[in-house]
Amino acid sequence: MKAILDCIPCFLQQALDAVRMASDDTRVHERVMHRVLAVVQEMTFQESPPQMGALIHRIIREQVGHPDPYHRAKQYYNSFARKLLPRLRRLRDDSTEPFAMAVRLAVAANIIDFALSARLDEDLVLQSLEQATSQPLAIDRLAALQEAVQRASSILYLADNAGEIVLDLLLVEMLPRGVVTVAVRGAPVINDATTEDALFAGLDKIANIIDNGTDIPGTVIGECSQQLRQLFASADLVISKGQGNYETLSDEQREIYHLLKVKCPLVARDLGCPVGGVVVMRRQGGMVT
Amino acid sequence: MKAILDCIPCFLQQALDAVRMASDDTRVHERVMHRVLAVVQEMTFQESPPQMGALIHRIIREQVGHPDPYHRAKQYYNSFARKLLPRLRRLRDDSTEPFAMAVRLAVAANIIDFALSARLDEDLVLQSLEQATSQPLAIDRLAALQEAVQRASSILYLADNAGEIVLDLLLVEMLPRGVVTVAVRGAPVINDATTEDALFAGLDKIANIIDNGTDIPGTVIGECSQQLRQLFASADLVISKGQGNYETLSDEQREIYHLLKVKCPLVARDLGCPVGGVVVMRRQGGMVT
């Protein structure tokens, strides 16, 4: 998915929100906005929004002078998610359809996204989780996903955000043991999950963890490590979490199951879903299947 | 009032909304956004938002290749307002406080602003007018304004938008005859009222009409015609309509009555009012009095 003109004001708003979260120094805010304007001006609209996001967050890290300015905020949401985990695990296990409930909760946790929600707080997360248990899915390929899981002898699970990744456990626990690789970002970028977050979640106890080798808040296959590229090519099943991964993978040829919460009007238009919609989608060769 | 970092994404959104309203050609949209990014990058934050607005709309007019791309839309809202006029005039005249009702309706009409409301439509205008009749004023210096009107032997009335200017008639009719000068913009800029709109409203029958000599969607005294500057210095009473005039006049020394509908969070913060608030304020030397 390529960025469109509507992304321009949004990038600048995201940059402003993000740098304010990372620093209190108004001179830093000004320098970041100035540099982001220059980068946005060079946009060719051949880039996906997360590729532009990567450039913006490189500027923020450089100007703030910290390699991971959202580290504390990521830890906060990791801990928050871990506190919710026992209750949500019971909810899943007591459900008549535990797999479906696990998927719904893992998608609901995709709301923990600093890039798209300056309004993010605990209440918004709780509200998203609450809705997830009953809200009709905007796109519903749950049954197909469940079948694919049963058949798969290798699964690549592309994680998205810190905090969210703790609740991904609810779903990864439902996947066959010994076949799952969870891929995280190769370096900190906004609140995206890195190896540290996967370890905090304890995912290493039930899955293989790899990092994708990039600081793009999505999965641009051509930029990823060879290990990730090989797994992406060979896995029986690829499960992709979140908008960033969707935006960067939507035109890939191979079959991918996308689990995401729709958080921007551009993605909503692309999918024919409302903002806020919960999507469990199968996509192949750029087409919904 | 000077622009702040929060204005950057807003300028770009306004530019996109405005050029899409003015042209269907996506290449024009792209060229405008590219040029606006360059202009915004040069911002010193010493400018008021309407001064940046003037630069943006010069770019749009140039790229669209039309000196007044919103001409038809302005005519539409002028005609719409004229249809409402008889009913609103009765509402004013049947009111227990006709002057207050005239002010309230004239401020409510300030919602007709293409710069700030991509969602503008007839319903929004009707809703604003409806609320105006009963909504408590966010800042209420109505009594002081009415006294000042009674004492004034020269009044400068700074108009804001097309459409709105037709409903300004409701208030200008309540001012003493033979003492009022209505000032409009010196050239088309977005949907701001020009001489053509003042004549359509019929204001020339009850007031003197002048243009301020600039294409800034506000009143930057130093940029205005000598005639406007003289009147601004000498008038017993200056009544200023709308946000653009407020943003450019808020630091002026002389006493000004500002009548506006609050439409942006920056102005809301400056005034300590909610967005949507209806303001009748007296200001002098940059202070609310």
Side-chain angles (χ1 to χ4, degrees), chain A residues 165-184:
Chain A
I165 199 171
V166 176
L167 301 184
D168 282 330
L169 207 57
L170 295 166
L171 176 53
V172 178
E173 286 170 349
M174 307 294 284
L175 304 178
R177 289 294 155 104
V179 310
V180 181
T181 299
V182 174
V184 293

Side-chain angles (χ1 to χ4, degrees), chain A residues 153-158 178-184 207-212 219 221 224-239 249 252 254-256:
Chain A
S153 57
S154 60
I155 299 175
L156 175 61
Y157 190 100
L158 302 169
V179 310
V180 181
T181 299
V182 174
V184 293
N208 184 33
I209 311 295
I210 64 168
D211 80 59
N212 70 11
T219 305
I221 292 298
C224 286
S225 65
Q226 210 190 340
Q227 189 185 19
L228 189 287
R229 290 207 304 272
Q230 279 174 351
L231 258 167
F232 182 76
S234 65
D236 289 339
L237 170 61
V238 173
I239 298 174
L249 290 168
E252 285 294 332
R254 75 151 291 157
E255 182 194 78
I256 302 171

Side-chain angles (χ1 to χ4, degrees), chain B residues 107-111 116 127-129 131-132 135 242-243 259-264 267 276-279:
Chain B
V107 185
N110 184 236
I111 197 73
L116 286 147
Q127 188 190 324
S128 177
L129 289 166
Q131 285 170 350
Q135 183 184 6
Q243 269 196 186
L259 315 187
L260 65 135
K261 182 110 182 165
V262 178
K263 284 165 285 182
C264 111
V267 172
V278 169
V279 168

Side-chain angles (χ1 to χ4, degrees), chain A residues 6 9 12-13 20 34 41, chain B residues 6 9 12-13 20 34 38 41:
Chain A
D6 301 77
L12 289 155
Q13 188 65 57
R20 282 178 172 162
H34 200 258
Q41 220 186 338
Chain B
D6 301 76
L12 288 156
Q13 188 66 56
R20 282 178 173 161
H34 201 257
Q41 221 187 335

Side-chain angles (χ1 to χ4, degrees), chain A residues 15-49:
Chain A
L16 187 56
D17 291 343
V19 70
R20 282 178 172 162
M21 211 188 296
S23 165
D24 290 332
D25 186 340
T26 54
R27 288 163 308 178
V28 171
H29 305 169
E30 274 174 38
R31 283 203 299 270
V32 163
M33 292 303 279
H34 200 258
R35 295 260 329 258
V36 170
L37 281 165
V39 163
V40 171
Q41 220 186 338
E42 297 300 315
M43 263 178 79
T44 64
F45 298 96
Q46 297 305 306
E47 310 90 344
S48 63

Side-chain angles (χ1 to χ4, degrees), chain A residues 43-199:
Chain A
M43 263 178 79
T44 64
F45 298 96
Q46 297 305 306
E47 310 90 344
S48 63
Q51 284 169 292
M52 285 302 297
L55 300 179
I56 290 168
H57 287 284
R58 278 173 212 160
I59 292 169
I60 292 175
R61 290 195 297 275
E62 182 196 302
Q63 294 293 330
V64 171
H66 194 293
D68 190 4
Y70 310 99
H71 189 252
R72 196 176 292 189
K74 288 192 289 184
Q75 286 182 317
Y76 177 85
Y77 278 100
N78 278 336
S79 299
F80 174 59
R82 187 143 76 180
K83 271 185 235 143
L84 298 176
L85 199 55
R87 184 164 68 78
L88 296 175
R89 207 180 254 129
R90 277 199 303 279
L91 187 67
R92 177 196 66 188
D93 295 341
D94 293 348
S95 161
T96 51
E97 295 181 86
F99 181 84
M101 184 57 84
V103 170
R104 283 171 169 275
L105 293 170
V107 184
N110 184 236
I111 196 73
I112 307 175
D113 183 340
F114 292 4
L116 287 148
S117 184
R119 304 171 296 104
L120 182 66
D121 59 21
E122 292 191 359
D123 283 346
L124 195 69
V125 179
L126 291 172
Q127 188 190 323
S128 177
L129 288 166
E130 178 69 33
Q131 285 171 350
T133 59
S134 58
Q135 183 184 6
L137 301 180
I139 299 177
D140 183 354
R141 297 293 274 153
L142 249 170
L145 173 61
Q146 193 162 9
E147 277 176 42
V149 164
Q150 283 158 1
R151 279 197 311 270
S153 57
S154 60
I155 299 175
L156 175 61
Y157 190 100
L158 302 169
D160 193 6
N161 301 310
E164 175 182 357
I165 199 171
V166 176
L167 301 184
D168 282 330
L169 207 57
L170 295 166
L171 176 53
V172 178
E173 286 170 349
M174 307 294 284
L175 304 178
R177 289 294 155 104
V179 310
V180 181
T181 299
V182 174
V184 293
R185 308 295 179 230
V189 54
I190 195 162
N191 74 323
D192 285 31
T194 60
T195 302
E196 179 184 340
D197 304 300
L199 298 179

